[in-house]
Amino acid sequence: METQTTPAKAAEHMIQLVLNTWTGRNAAVSTFFNKAENDRLYSDEVAPGRNRAIYLLGHLAATNDALFPLLGFGDKLFPELESFSSKPDRSFEIGQSIAELKQQWETINSTLTSHFNALSTEEWLDRHTAVSQEDFEKEPHRNRLNVLLGRTNHQSYHLGQLNFLTFN
Amino acid sequence: METQTTPAKAAEHMIQLVLNTWTGRNAAVSTFFNKAENDRLYSDEVAPGRNRAIYLLGHLAATNDALFPLLGFGDKLFPELESFSSKPDRSFEIGQSIAELKQQWETINSTLTSHFNALSTEEWLDRHTAVSQEDFEKEPHRNRLNVLLGRTNHQSYHLGQLNFLTFN
């Protein structure tokens, strides 16, 4: 690199790249649901016998909401989303409208972003709450940044499925 | 973090996390194709009207092969894979068997891994070959690490689709 950088700045830049990738996947999910026809989001499976789009929106929102306790930011904002993680589609009644789920999704992501922006490099590489200090010393990759890398890929995984639903 | 770390070590650790995420997605693709029934990989679309699994394997191999020139490691290993990136499924004759594609996929990934392991932190954050030095100074995120983050998510995207094909 011709420009001067320090290891500390390099580390901060990398965190920003990971954050931007997560933000980009969030935006892609939002774009999908903003252009989609509401009726079909309730009724259509993304492929025969697979999840409906409304379920996947709830599932992605629930996954991001679970980052609050996992990363030590506090309680979930919408614990009622839990069913979207613990139960398969059509096994429970979805109590939220698409509009409500979209609103919760946006609130979760913007609140998480505030927490992320306040973390130092050391805090990003510190353990998440599902690993003990003892295990973390043996497995130092079980940190906040790694969780975000995994969750970002989880979003991409379901985006590939959502995009099988096409809208004109 | 209770353990002592330096910014330089933090940066190296982050690169390792990103690399491990990429390697993990490669392994998930390999696992899928190793357990799959060959006949159905040639014939079955992952969802009605969508790509066949053999096409997606070629597409993911072609995408990783394109990293050689993009990241400054030299020429593509298998330029004949290009059709899987530039053309849709069923618009060209696939000349490779599943076994050949799996072999190429493994060779591409192991060779890339050797190159990745030889890069310094500065080289990871240096520009890729598709951006000029002038543009890079304005957009410093257009570096090797960011490319790998994007490609890893691209793999996850198609893995979500591949997993719609189920095998007993």
Side-chain angles (χ1 to χ4, degrees):
Chain A
M1 197 152 37
E2 290 180 24
T3 48
Q4 284 289 323
T5 192
T6 64
K9 281 192 182 167
E12 284 169 22
H13 182 68
M14 288 183 204
I15 290 165
Q16 202 55 53
L17 294 179
V18 173
L19 260 180
N20 289 350
T21 308
W22 179 72
T23 306
R25 299 301 83 201
N26 287 339
V29 171
S30 296
T31 298
F32 174 87
F33 283 98
N34 287 336
K35 78 177 178 189
E37 295 162 32
N38 276 0
D39 286 357
R40 292 190 54 202
L41 298 178
Y42 288 100
S43 60
D44 286 19
E45 297 159 339
V46 297
R50 302 295 173 174
N51 295 316
R52 289 172 295 162
I54 186 174
Y55 175 84
L56 286 174
L57 177 57
H59 177 66
L60 291 170
T63 303
N64 280 355
D65 203 23
L67 290 176
F68 287 97
L70 184 61
L71 302 186
F73 300 151
D75 294 333
K76 292 178 184 179
L77 301 187
F78 307 104
E80 66 272 23
L81 293 173
E82 173 63 25
S83 297
F84 290 98
S85 281
S86 60
K87 298 176 186 170
D89 191 14
R90 300 191 192 274
S91 73
F92 65 100
E93 189 168 355
I94 296 178
Q96 303 90 336
S97 68
I98 289 277
E100 284 166 337
L101 284 174
K102 276 158 76 167
Q103 186 57 55
Q104 292 178 331
W105 163 255
E106 299 292 348
T107 302
I108 290 164
N109 294 342
S110 62
T111 313
L112 280 173
T113 299
S114 299
H115 285 283
F116 289 155
N117 288 337
L119 291 178
S120 68
T121 297
E122 286 221 330
E123 287 168 330
W124 273 111
L125 295 185
D126 201 358
R127 67 189 170 101
H128 56 70
T129 64
V131 61
S132 68
Q133 183 61 36
E134 187 185 354
D135 287 345
F136 182 62
E137 282 167 18
K138 288 175 261 172
E139 301 173 296
H141 65 278
R142 300 177 69 180
N143 54 47
R144 290 190 177 96
L145 194 71
N146 206 37
V147 167
L148 195 64
L149 285 167
R151 292 301 184 279
T152 305
N153 277 276
H154 175 251
Q155 293 179 312
S156 294
Y157 183 96
H158 288 302
L159 265 168
Q161 301 174 335
L162 283 169
N163 280 336
F164 278 169
L165 267 189
T166 48
F167 305 95
N168 292 323
Chain B
M1 198 154 36
E2 292 182 24
T3 48
Q4 285 289 322
T5 192
T6 63
K9 279 191 183 168
E12 284 168 21
H13 181 69
M14 289 183 203
I15 290 165
Q16 201 56 52
L17 295 178
V18 174
L19 260 180
N20 289 351
T21 308
W22 179 73
T23 306
R25 299 301 84 200
N26 287 339
V29 171
S30 296
T31 298
F32 174 87
F33 282 98
N34 288 336
K35 78 177 178 191
E37 295 162 33
N38 275 359
D39 286 358
R40 292 189 54 203
L41 298 178
Y42 288 101
S43 60
D44 285 20
E45 297 158 338
V46 297
R50 301 296 172 175
N51 295 316
R52 289 173 296 162
I54 186 174
Y55 176 83
L56 285 175
L57 176 56
H59 177 66
L60 291 169
T63 304
N64 280 356
D65 203 24
L67 291 175
F68 287 96
L70 184 61
L71 302 185
F73 300 153
D75 294 334
K76 292 178 182 178
L77 302 187
F78 306 105
E80 66 272 23
L81 293 172
E82 173 63 26
S83 298
F84 290 99
S85 282
S86 60
K87 298 176 186 170
D89 191 15
R90 300 191 193 272
S91 74
F92 64 100
E93 190 170 352
I94 295 179
Q96 302 91 336
S97 67
I98 289 278
E100 284 166 338
L101 284 174
K102 276 158 76 168
Q103 186 57 57
Q104 292 178 331
W105 163 255
E106 299 293 348
T107 302
I108 289 164
N109 294 342
S110 62
T111 313
L112 280 173
T113 298
S114 300
H115 284 284
F116 289 154
N117 289 338
L119 290 178
S120 67
T121 297
E122 286 221 331
E123 287 168 331
W124 273 110
L125 296 184
D126 201 357
R127 67 189 170 101
H128 57 68
T129 63
V131 60
S132 68
Q133 183 61 35
E134 187 185 353
D135 286 346
F136 182 61
E137 282 166 19
K138 288 175 260 172
E139 301 174 296
H141 65 278
R142 300 178 70 180
N143 55 47
R144 289 189 177 97
L145 194 72
N146 205 38
V147 167
L148 195 64
L149 285 166
R151 292 303 183 276
T152 304
N153 276 277
H154 174 252
Q155 291 179 314
S156 294
Y157 184 97
H158 289 303
L159 265 167
Q161 302 174 334
L162 283 169
N163 280 336
F164 279 170
L165 267 190
T166 48
F167 304 96
N168 293 320

